[in-house]
């Protein structure tokens, strides 16, 4: 059995865990002091050596990302923290910022110092107002305590942090869309190259990192590379927060070394709800292809999950038991992607529009055998064709759903599928006959969506 | 239709404070639109013009942004924005039924407001609280582990003018305008208010404690 | 392609070797794959790509397979097809397009299918049908049948973005060429993407369309005072570059099929830029005009005036037969021989009759080089006078000296490319957007890199878009302001950068000393001076010598050597020796009966401060050469119909000094002014030699350029004293007298814009502008302000308080309700009386 390793989550249970005082009582800002005594290049090297990979889903090595910054030309360079946590199933950064915002602030200061940034931004999704309050408060506390502002801790180093609220757009989790959004534009992805490291915010060198990545930095600096690399697997080092949701007894946040298995996590979470059978799950949010009970023992690291045909993503483990209709789940996901497609490129904008209609028809029992092939063909016209990775993410639920549960789709088409949505709900209710739960909002309404 | 001089002066002061947070003024557009919602309860055409003036943009450029983000409302919003998550996980865990019953109970559909102007109902996409599914958000505060009954109670209380406390968050849910002002970056002093953490947040920590696992590896 | 071509000379171009569909090619580094493919004749389908816009990568139609050498030198294929419109070539790259890669073809077919699922099948009624990239590419690369069986997206249609530009959203493929053009090229972000995802659409801020509650600001509170949401001067370009039928123009919608049209290349008559246009006509009627691609001049853009203002020439008042005033005093149709004879008789009397006082000639500013030459030669050889002036606007002797010394026969001077490359530009009495059209676009291209300064009463919207710094000046005192620019002034420092340019416009003629000081400033800084007049014919007229003191070839009539050279070329003994009267002088003389006759070309009396109507009435005899009936033709004794530009050939000389020859687009029996004058001269016993364009040009070549000693001296006029300028730029409480500032808006009530209401609808609303202090001093708060000049009538306009120089009121020159010259009888720099609260 793999042990859980609470690091980022360690202080969440403490009294007023979000305050500077509590954070400092638990050794907070010690890493910053240590970092200020280090060479900037050594900090970057330490993060590189730690093998820390981006915790926002893509898993790109964090230290390497920092290393892409061009040499200092005297102009500004920026750190932008991606706190736009919106990937369905993902719910780790929100509790981190709600309960321990200072670990993010400390990480942001260390990172900014290391990369030579004097103005960092934390882009928090707008739909979590108390989180935004807590992060703003933490920044204010940090200014007051002299961790931010001019001449921080007498080092001569200046740093400002602006906490910025988004306004409801999943695509802003994509780093270049986030930069456009932060610049006051529609959050649509930018062409790459140039990459943000070269021309990011205001066309200046910019590092964009996820909350959990940045929050992991203080511990790496404080306890050392060896400590960090002692956790995890060969190429997936360290700990990460695994967010379990769905049909399990005790959903929640489980911080564990990368490489832990779903079987272990479900066991820690008290097992499947009512002892029912696991049907399918996402390893890292809805954009990662679903897996099934075949994969219970697959190590939850980048390589093994990749080899299993999915992606570790954000470790958002959405767990569905046998009462769940895959067709319903996939349809709802596709509605999400259609709603959130930014509209910039043809494949994603038109493709999600089309897929949604086909899936709704299938779910409503009006599908045809040709629809299943059309689903795959349309997915093929989106995946690898769209402007950004959104398109790939959007179709993965359809492709993987058909891969593992084609028979269920066929059952919907030939009218033999029978799922009672009430069976999957956490509370008892009688399914209303007059209004299907999946009633499609009228297109006219969506015009304003 | 434009703001009167006094309102305009006050908003311009707020706008100046917002703009000063950024190296480039245009970055202030999202917070300025939140500010307009704090003033008017939605992104009003006069608010669009105000933002355009502040940032030297055309109205089309401002509406381009305002219509991209779902939090920006184009019609006067209810005092309380009630969003039921109907993304896959919440929907399956009961969110669909919660939405259906609340909608039926209120007599309004998606993005519609009750005649008393109190509640605007909305289908929400994932709000990053999946471990508390099914989730409902009221003015962007968490209402965890909802049932149709609990959700209907919340909207009834809101319409009755009672203070309603979220599951996690401040002591009470503030109004849409108040919350919009916070999102524009103006603190409301409620950061230290707390309803405690729910079990899921501490689930892993509790297991580790029970098992005596040391935090953070060897 | 065009951008790099200009710069090719200055630096060696680094090239890379790539292979596209098996064809090896060496292309400039950083070339986009799609451009490189074009160079070897391979067309990759595309919608969002446009060579003059920044890459977008939005439509995904141009996906190709790409492989490039890795660090080990081995070719590595990209795992998925790449957008060829955004990826640049690198050394050793191997590209396989739809022609050679199944994967690329499959990707393109997939994208095409997705583009078409929501596209209506309305090609048979769509204006783009027959010239539609989507239609063409769907035919060549798409599937024959749609697999889409679900519900298509529909929109209310069409949506009027302005009175001129219509949008059918369901046809739109969201390539964003239109919004990118508006933002990147025109700087008019009046349209942008609205909404998100599948409901994303192009649009203005339209509350109804976007579902906003309440009404937005309209009228003078709107950003451009137009009240219209897409009142860009360049909006028509979006229609032309739209790769589908989503954007159409009100003027052309449902009028024709492209394959029924005959196209002819031409040059726009609307301004001095000489923009290349294409005229599409059917059965003798122009249906539309488009921008032609001329990288040296207008690139692929034209103004909306160039594009849409052509109806004027086919209005019901078009003159087709000569008119002669009969004994009853009525103008009646006559045959050409009758009319020519009548005109000749009248002119003969005015030139050589008893007590003959002579003839004045006003050709108007819109004529071709050949016409101008004919008018000048006709005046001097046939009428024996130097009283000829092409300028039908404010004019001065100083200007003539400037034109004679620094413009005439100087050849190609500052060019569009020079203007684009200039590190800094100083504008004097010139508004690039209103008075220069595509000049503005070229400068915008260099913004914000190029430093722009403008000597003006306030920062106009166009100047603001160029990021110009205002050098405040009260009209009339521009010379004083220029003289006052010291070494320390930002403008002087900036102009000292090599390659800088000083632009002077036609209004500078109203500012004493301004030409003198502009030349002096050029001397001080090393910047070059360029004159950009507003009207298409003015530079040509300077070359042709259609000015009172200027001969063709740049000669000064007052210099014997110059006269001799021209006289000998013309086969006459001598030419009139003294400089003639300018436009105001001619009209004043005619009014005072000091001239007997007038020969008038395309001149609108309403453009002039001098009382032309009075002059026409006072003159014993008036010959008018016009396209349409005007106030001038109504007072003429003989009216000789002449051809509009589309029905003739000839040459406009643009402000660069570039010859912009054009052939006849539509063959009619209408004759050019030069041909008519040739006939008239013949009747008067002179062989003018201007019967054909070729004949005129041959003569011009023979004349050549006169030597410097035959030319005019540079102007040396003192500008008003600094004290006077200061006083003018101040305002005392209770004053009623202000200095008038004014210029023509690009879209206004100019006579060549008549008959096109859709275009007129995109013009900016006429407003009066004054500074806060000025408004307070004259007691104007809001509402209407009334401006009065020398006439009884006043101009009453809504006032917009503007950050501008004190003591000045600005009015648009010829916009609805604001015909400054006609109503006030005044020009910029004159005093007006102002009162508010009317």
């Amino acid at each position: 059995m793999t042990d859980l390793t609470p690091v980022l989550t360690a202080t969440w249970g403490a009294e007023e865990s979000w305050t500077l005082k509590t954070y400092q009582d638990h050794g907070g800002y010690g890493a910053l002091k240590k970092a200020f005594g280090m060479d900037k290049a050594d900090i970057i090297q330490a993060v590189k050596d730690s093998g820390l990979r981006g915790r926002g889903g893509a898993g790109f090595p964090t230290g390497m990302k920092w290393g892409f910054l061009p040499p200092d030309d005297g102009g500004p360079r920026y750190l932008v923290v991606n706190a736009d946590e919106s990937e369905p199933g993902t719910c780790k950064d929100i509790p981190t910022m709600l309960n321990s915002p200072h670990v993010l602030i400390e990480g942001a200061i260390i990172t900014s110092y290391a990369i030579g940034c004097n103005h960092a931004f934390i882009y928090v999704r707008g739909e979590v107002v108390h989180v935004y309050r807590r992060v703003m408060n933490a920044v204010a506390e940090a200014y007051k305590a002299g961790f931010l502002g001019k001449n921080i801790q007498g080092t001569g180093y200046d740093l400002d942090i602006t906490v910025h609220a988004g306004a409801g757009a999943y695509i802003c989790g994509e780093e270049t869309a986030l930069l456009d959004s932060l610049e006051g534009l529609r959050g649509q992805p930018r062409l790459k190259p140039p990459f943000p490291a070269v021309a990011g915010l205001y066309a200046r060198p910019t590092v964009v990192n996820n909350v959990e990545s940045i929050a992991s930095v203080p511990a790496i600096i404080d306890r050392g590379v060896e400590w960090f690399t002692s956790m995890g697997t060969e190429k997936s080092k360290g700990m990460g927060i695994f967010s379990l949701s769905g049909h399990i007894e005790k959903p929640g946040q489980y911080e564990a070394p990368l490489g832990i298995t779903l079987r272990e996590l479900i066991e820690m979470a008290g097992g499947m709800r009512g002892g029912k059978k696991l049907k399918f799950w996402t390893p890292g949010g809805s954009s990662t292809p679903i897996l099934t009970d075949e994969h219970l023992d697959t190590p939850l690291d980048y390589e093994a999950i990749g080899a299993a045909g999915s992606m570790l993503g954000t470790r958002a483990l959405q767990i569905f038991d046998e009462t769940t209709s895959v067709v319903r789940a996939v349809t709802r996901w596709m509605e999400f992607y259609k709603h959130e497609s930014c509209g910039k490129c043809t494949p994603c904008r038109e493709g999600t529009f089309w897929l949604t209609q086909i899936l709704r028809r299938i779910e409503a029992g009006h599908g045809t055998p040709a629809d299943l092939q059309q689903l795959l063909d349309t997915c093929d016209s989106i995946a690898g064709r769209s402007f950004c990775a959104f398109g790939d993410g959007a179709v993965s639920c359809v492709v993987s759903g058909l891969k593992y549960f084609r028979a269920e789709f066929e059952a919907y088409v030939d009218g033999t599928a029978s799922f009672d949505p009430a069976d999957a709900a956490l509370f008892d209710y009688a399914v209303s006959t007059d209004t299907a739960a999946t009633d499609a909002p009228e297109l006219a309404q969506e015009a304003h969506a | 239709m434009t703001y009167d001089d006094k309102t305009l002066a006050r908003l311009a002061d707020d706008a100046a404070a917002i703009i000063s947070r950024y190296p480039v003024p245009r970055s202030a557009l999202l917070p300025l639109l939140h500010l307009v919602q704090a003033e008017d309860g939605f992104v009003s055409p006069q608010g669009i013009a105000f933002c355009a003036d502040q940032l030297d943009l055309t109205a089309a450029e401002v509406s381009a942004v305002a219509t991209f983000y779902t939090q920006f409302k184009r019609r006067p919003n209810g005092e309380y924005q009630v969003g039921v998550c109907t993304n896959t996980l919440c929907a399956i865990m009961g969110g669909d039924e919660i939405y259906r019953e609340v909608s039926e109970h209120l007599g309004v559909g998606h993005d519609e407001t009750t005649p008393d102007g109190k509640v605007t109902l909305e289908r929400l996409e994932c709000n990053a609280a999946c471990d508390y599914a099914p989730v409902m958000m009221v003015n962007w505060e968490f209402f965890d582990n909802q049932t149709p009954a609990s959700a209907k109670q919340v909207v009834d209380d809101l319409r009755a003018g009672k203070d309603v406390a979220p599951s996690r968050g401040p002591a009470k849910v503030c109004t849409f305008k108040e919350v919009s002002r916070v999102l524009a970056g103006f603190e409301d002093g409620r950061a230290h208010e707390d309803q405690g953490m729910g079990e899921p947040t501490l689930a892993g920590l509790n297991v580790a404690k029970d098992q005596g696992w040391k935090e953070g590896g060897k | 392609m065009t951008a790099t071509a200009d710069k090719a000379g200055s630096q060696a171009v680094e090239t890379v070797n790539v292979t596209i569909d098996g064809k090896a090619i060496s292309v400039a580094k950083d070339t986009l794959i799609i451009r490189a493919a074009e160079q070897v004749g391979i067309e990759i389908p595309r919608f969002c790509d446009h060579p003059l816009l920044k890459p977008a990568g939005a439509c995904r139609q141009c996906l190709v397979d790409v492989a490039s050498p890795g660090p080990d030198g081995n070719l590595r294929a990209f795992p998925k097809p790449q957008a060829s419109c955004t990826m640049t070539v690198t050394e050793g790259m191997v590209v396989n397009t739809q022609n050679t890669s199944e994967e690329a073809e499959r990707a393109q077919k997939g994208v095409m299918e997705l583009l078409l699922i929501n596209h209506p099948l309305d090609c048979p009624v769509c204006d783009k049908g027959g010239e539609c990239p989507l239609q063409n590419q769907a035919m060549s690369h798409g599937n024959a049948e749609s697999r889409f069986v679900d519900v298509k997206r529909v929109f209310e249609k069409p949506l009027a973005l302005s009175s001129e530009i219509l949008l059918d959203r369901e046809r739109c493929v969201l390539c964003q060429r239109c919004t990118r053009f508006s933002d990147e090229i025109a700087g008019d972000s009046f349209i942008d993407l609205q909404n998100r995802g599948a409901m994303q659409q192009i649009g203005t801020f339209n509350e109804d369309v976007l579902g906003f509650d309440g009404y937005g600001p309209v009228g003078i509170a709107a950003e451009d005072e137009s009240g219209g949401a897409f009142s860009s001067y360049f909006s028509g370009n979006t229609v032309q570059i739209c790769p589908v039928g989503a954007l159409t123009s009100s003027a052309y919608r449902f009028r024709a099929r492209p394959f029924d049209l005959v196209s002819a290349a031409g040059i726009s008559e609307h301004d001095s830029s000489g923009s290349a246009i294409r005229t599409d006509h059917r059965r003798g009627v122009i249906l539309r005009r488009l921008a032609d691609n001329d990288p040296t001049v207008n690139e692929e853009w034209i103004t909306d005036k160039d594009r849409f203002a052509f109806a004027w020439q086919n209005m019901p008042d078009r003159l087709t037969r000569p008119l002669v005033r009969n004994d009853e005093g009525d103008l009646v149709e006559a045959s050409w021989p009758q009319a020519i004879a009548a005109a000749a008789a009248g002119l003969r009397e005015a030139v050589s009759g008893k007590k003959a006082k002579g003839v004045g000639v006003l050709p108007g500013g819109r004529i071709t080089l050949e016409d101008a030459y004919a008018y000048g030669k006709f005046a001097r050889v046939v009428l024996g006078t130097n009283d000829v002036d092409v300028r039908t606007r404010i004019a001065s002797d100083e200007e003539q000296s400037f034109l004679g010394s620094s413009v005439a026969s100087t050849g190609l001077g500052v060019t569009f490319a020079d203007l684009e490359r200039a590190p800094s530009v100083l504008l004097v009495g010139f508004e690039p957007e209103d008075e220069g059209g595509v000049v503005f676009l070229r400068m915008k291209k260099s913004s914000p890199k190029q430093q722009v300064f403008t000597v003006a009463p306030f920062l106009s919207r166009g100047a603001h878009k160029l990021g110009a710094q205002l050098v405040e000046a009260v009209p009339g005192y521009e010379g004083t302001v220029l003289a006052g620019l010291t070494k320390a002034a930002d403008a002087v420092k900036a102009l000292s950068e090599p390659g800088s340019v000083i632009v002077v416009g036609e209004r500078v003629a109203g500012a004493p000393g301004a030409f003198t000081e502009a030349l002096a400033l050029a001397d001080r800084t090393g910047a070059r001076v360029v004159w950009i007049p507003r009207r298409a014919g003015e530079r040509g007229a300077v070359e042709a010598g259609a000015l009172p003191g200027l001969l063709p070839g740049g000669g000064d009539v007052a210099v014997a050597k110059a006269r001799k050279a021209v006289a000998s070329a013309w086969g006459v003994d001598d030419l009139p020796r003294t400089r003639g009267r300018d436009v105001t002088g001619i009209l004043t003389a005619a009014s005072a009966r000091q001239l007997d006759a007038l020969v008038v070309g395309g001149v609108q009396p309403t453009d002039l401060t001098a009382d032309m109507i009075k002059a026409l009435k006072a003159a014993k005899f008036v010959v008018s050469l016009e396209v349409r009936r005007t106030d001038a033709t109504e007072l003429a004794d003989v009216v000789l119909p002449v051809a509009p530009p589309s029905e003739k050939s000839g040459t406009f000389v643009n402000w660069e000094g570039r010859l912009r020859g054009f052939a006849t687009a539509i063959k009619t029996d209408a004759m050019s002014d030069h041909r008519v004058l040739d006939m008239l001269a013949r009747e008067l016993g002179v062989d003018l030699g201007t019967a054909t364009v070729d004949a005129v040009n041959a003569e011009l070549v023979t004349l050549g350029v006169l030597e410097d000693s035959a030319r005019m001296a540079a102007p040396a006029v003192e500008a008003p004293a600094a004290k006077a300028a200061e006083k003018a730029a101040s305002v005392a409480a209770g004053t009623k007298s202000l200095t008038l500032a004014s210029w023509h808006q690009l879209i206004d009530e100019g006579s060549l814009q008549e008959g096109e209401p859709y275009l007129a609808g995109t013009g900016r609303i006429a407003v009066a502008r004054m500074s806060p202090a000025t408004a307070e001093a004259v007691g104007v708060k809001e509402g209407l302000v009334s401006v009065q000049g020398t006439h009884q009538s006043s101009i009453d306009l809504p006032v917009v308080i503007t950050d501008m120089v004190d003591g000045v009121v600005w009015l648009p020159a010829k916009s609805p309700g604001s015909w400054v010259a006609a109503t006030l009888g005044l020009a910029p720099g004159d005093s007006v009386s102002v009162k508010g609260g009317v």
Side-chain angles (χ1 to χ4, degrees), chain A residues 186 343 350 357 361 377 380, chain C residues 106 118 147 150 195 200:
Chain A
R186 296 161 65 80
E350 305 297 333
Q357 294 207 34
R361 262 195 300 106
D377 284 356
D380 184 54
Chain C
R106 201 165 60 86
N118 276 309
R147 296 187 289 176
D150 291 289
N195 289 330
Q200 183 177 257

Side-chain angles (χ1 to χ4, degrees), chain C residues 416-435:
Chain C
F416 273 103
D418 292 339
L419 199 56
E420 181 186 333
R421 278 194 293 255
S424 70
V425 177
L426 174 72
L427 307 169
V428 188
F430 178 68
E431 290 295 331
E433 197 183 27
D434 279 319
E435 300 174 299

Side-chain angles (χ1 to χ4, degrees), chain C residues 512-711:
Chain C
F515 284 108
T516 310
E517 290 300 337
L519 291 172
L521 182 61
D523 272 349
R524 294 210 294 280
T525 57
R528 288 198 288 168
V529 178
V530 62
W531 176 64
I532 306 187
R534 215 166 50 84
R535 292 197 174 106
E538 293 214 0
R539 177 66 193 262
V542 169
E543 302 301 327
L547 288 171
L550 200 59
L551 294 169
D556 181 348
V557 292
V559 177
K561 202 188 292 180
R563 283 197 307 279
K564 199 176 157 206
V566 175
S568 91
W570 284 350
V572 293
D573 296 339
D574 196 4
L575 298 173
R577 294 176 177 223
T578 53
R579 289 190 187 174
R581 297 176 173 102
D582 70 5
V583 54
T584 307
I586 291 168
L587 292 175
T588 310
S591 294
R593 298 184 191 278
Q594 289 157 3
L595 279 173
D596 282 342
L598 293 170
V599 174
V600 182
V603 181
Q604 292 293 324
T606 49
D607 287 344
L608 293 162
T609 52
D611 194 341
M612 183 170 174
I613 299 294
K614 188 178 167 197
L616 292 169
K617 284 181 178 163
K620 284 188 194 154
F621 191 73
V622 176
V623 180
S624 169
L625 287 76
E626 253 297 6
V627 177
R628 291 165 53 200
R629 280 177 179 266
T630 67
D631 292 346
T633 62
E634 293 316 291
L635 294 170
D637 297 285
V638 177
V639 179
L640 302 171
V642 290
S646 60
E647 295 174 30
K648 69 199 231 181
S649 61
T651 310
F652 285 126
V653 184
N654 77 354
W655 60 261
E656 302 172 280
R658 196 185 297 276
L659 298 178
R660 308 290 285 160
F662 58 94
T664 305
I666 302 174
K667 288 200 167 55
T668 64
D669 54 10
M671 290 181 282
S672 289
D673 302 49
H674 62 82
R675 171 103 193 268
V676 173
L677 290 171
D678 185 78
M679 288 162 58
L680 191 51
R682 203 173 295 278
E683 186 75 13
L684 287 161
V686 178
D687 179 5
L688 200 59
T690 63
T692 66
V693 167
D694 288 348
V696 172
N697 284 311
E699 259 190 49
L700 277 166
V701 169
T702 319
L703 275 164
V705 178
L706 296 179
E707 56 189 282
D708 280 356
S709 57
R711 297 174 67 100

